[in-house]
Amino acid sequence: MAKVTFNPNQPVQSLSGSVGALTFRTINGRTFVRERSTPVLPKNPTRKQREQFKQRTIIDSCLTILQSQIPDIREAIAMRSKFKQRLTYLYKSFAPTIKAPTKLQKAIMTEYYARFSATSTGQSRINHV
């Protein structure tokens, strides 16, 4: 865990939330950052454990990609839960048919950009997920 020091003239003076593998916490006016642990498969995993590991790694990598595309870190932190909700929905729809992790991630990201991009028409009226 490391302490974050902000410049006094900077508009951001505290952060709470996660961006990629970094988690920020503000406690008593001080901000700390730590790296989130990566998922690890136990020795002799069950099918359920392997599936959970695969789902978490793919969704985490997709989340990192989406959050890195947002220039404002506060907005990226705020959007994380919505990104995760949408990615989990897409993962569950594609996972039964696509077995290769890279192909699955590509299919999820392609569908995400097609459905939820900022330039898609009717974005405000349609509630996809």
Side-chain angles (χ1 to χ4, degrees):
M1 187 176 280
K3 184 177 178 188
V4 179
T5 306
F6 296 101
N7 291 334
N9 300 332
Q10 188 176 4
V12 178
Q13 292 300 316
S14 67
L15 289 173
S16 291
S18 296
V19 176
L22 300 176
T23 301
F24 296 91
R25 288 186 65 192
T26 301
I27 303 168
N28 294 329
R30 295 179 298 185
T31 302
F32 299 94
V33 64
R34 71 175 182 86
E35 188 173 8
R36 291 178 342 131
S37 62
T38 57
V40 178
L41 266 177
K43 193 172 185 177
N44 300 322
T46 63
R47 281 187 183 187
K48 184 177 179 181
Q49 288 172 327
R50 275 184 267 152
E51 177 56 34
Q52 287 174 341
F53 173 80
K54 181 180 174 184
Q55 179 177 347
R56 183 170 171 204
T57 54
I58 290 175
I59 289 177
D60 283 350
S61 64
C62 292
L63 266 171
T64 302
I65 292 168
L66 290 172
Q67 284 186 306
S68 68
Q69 294 173 350
I70 298 177
D72 183 17
I73 193 168
R74 293 179 291 180
E75 185 180 345
I77 289 172
M79 290 294 294
R80 183 178 178 88
S81 62
K82 186 53 109 174
F83 288 155
K84 190 168 186 174
Q85 179 186 10
R86 291 172 176 174
L87 290 171
T88 303
Y89 173 79
L90 292 174
Y91 178 89
K92 288 179 180 178
S93 64
F94 285 117
T97 57
I98 303 173
K99 298 299 177 194
T102 53
K103 289 182 181 179
L104 179 58
Q105 183 177 344
K106 181 181 178 185
I108 289 170
M109 293 303 290
T110 304
E111 184 66 19
Y112 187 92
Y113 291 135
R115 280 187 171 189
F116 304 112
S117 70
T119 59
S120 66
T121 59
Q123 180 74 18
S124 60
R125 294 189 190 133
I126 300 172
N127 187 7
H128 295 283
V129 176

